[in-house]
């Protein structure tokens, strides 16, 4: 019994040492930066946990499109929606001053796209017009909130769609998540506690195909590392403030194990390049820590 106790004491000591080294690395990356940086890491198989400002509610920006996609796919699982059903985009759906690859491809609008394609645009390309059409389809942000609440997701709030966020900087802060909440919801998702096995695999593949934020958590990881992630970015306001430069995702390690990581850079007066470099450097530090 004494040997077993010593074994667990050793494991515990190693975990504390691992966190300490990682914390030093992350602190050196964020030190002196005019920004609030939220970080959360969760090892899926070994339950390793690390967080910095982990319980602080921080603006999600487009990271919330993951939560929206999960809500849509839950309705698909229930048979209330179909991936094949067509969504019609009117001219007034194609808002101009917003990020929208759909609008770029279909500038004249009046086009019907399958739900599956709109999901891909919304998650993998972070399309804002596609996002708002999906929200309208499911009954608005309150439907997403109810779904997340029903799955026991804490520390998450969604009140506004993209159009509303573009009209008010205040609205950006009312859609939020704690970093710890975001890695925990990714673990629930991975474990099949949010969606059916089919829908989980489907959304994982869309997220692995994410084309935004290539200079964030994936930038310094080895090429072809599977990273199922969702990015978010506010741009700068007239005072040079970046409300959010975010990324969260599930990383698959060379040994087949996994961890979730969230890096939210909020209320930053740093340049876009510095903000994204912080996300990238923190991601690399975590990767190196898991691959010792």
């Amino acid at each position: 019994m004494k040997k077993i106790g010593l074994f667990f004491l050793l494991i515990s000591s190693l975990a504390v040492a691992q966190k300490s080294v990682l914390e030093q690395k992350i602190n050196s990356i964020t030190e002196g930066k005019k920004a609030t940086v939220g970080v959360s890491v969760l090892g899926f198989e070994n339950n390793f946990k690390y967080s910095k400002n982990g319980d602080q509610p921080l603006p999600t920006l487009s990271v919330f499109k993951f939560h929206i996609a999960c809500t849509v796919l839950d309705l698909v699982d229930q048979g209330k929606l179909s991936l094949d059903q067509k969504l019609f985009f009117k001219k007034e759906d194609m808002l101009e001053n917003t990020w929208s690859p759909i609008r770029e491809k279909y500038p004249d609008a009046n086009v019907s796209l399958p739900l599956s394609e709109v999901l891909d645009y919304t998650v993998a390309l972070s399309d804002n017009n596609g996002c708002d059409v999906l929200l309208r389809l499911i009954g608005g942000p309150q439907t997403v909130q109810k779904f997340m609440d029903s799955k026991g997701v804490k520390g998450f709030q969604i009140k506004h769609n993209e159009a509303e966020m573009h009209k008010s900087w205040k609205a950006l802060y009312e859609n939020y998540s704690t970093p710890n909440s975001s890695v925990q919801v990714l673990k629930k998702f991975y474990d099949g506690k949010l969606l059916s096995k089919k829908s989980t695999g489907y959304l994982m593949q869309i997220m692995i195909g994410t084309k935004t934020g290539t200079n964030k958590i994936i930038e310094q990881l080895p090429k072809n590392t599977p990273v199922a992630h969702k990015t978010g970015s506010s741009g700068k306001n007239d005072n040079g403030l970046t409300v959010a430069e975010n990324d969260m995702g599930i990383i698959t390690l060379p040994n087949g194990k996994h961890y979730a990581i969230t890096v939210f850079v909020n209320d930053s007066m740093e340049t876009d390049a510095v903000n994204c470099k912080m996300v990238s450097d923190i991601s690399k530090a975590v990767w190196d820590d898991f691959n010792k």
Side-chain angles (χ1 to χ4, degrees), residues 150-187:
S150 76
K151 296 297 181 178
V153 177
K154 308 293 185 184
F156 169 79
Q157 176 175 286
I158 177 171
K159 284 191 170 184
H160 303 284
N161 67 10
E162 286 285 354
E164 290 164 346
M165 286 198 293
H166 279 71
K167 290 176 183 174
S168 165
W169 283 86
K170 180 174 177 284
L172 272 60
Y173 291 90
E174 294 179 343
N175 290 340
Y176 64 72
S177 174
T178 68
N180 286 342
S181 172
S182 61
V183 296
Q184 287 157 9
V185 78
L186 287 172
K187 180 68 161 61

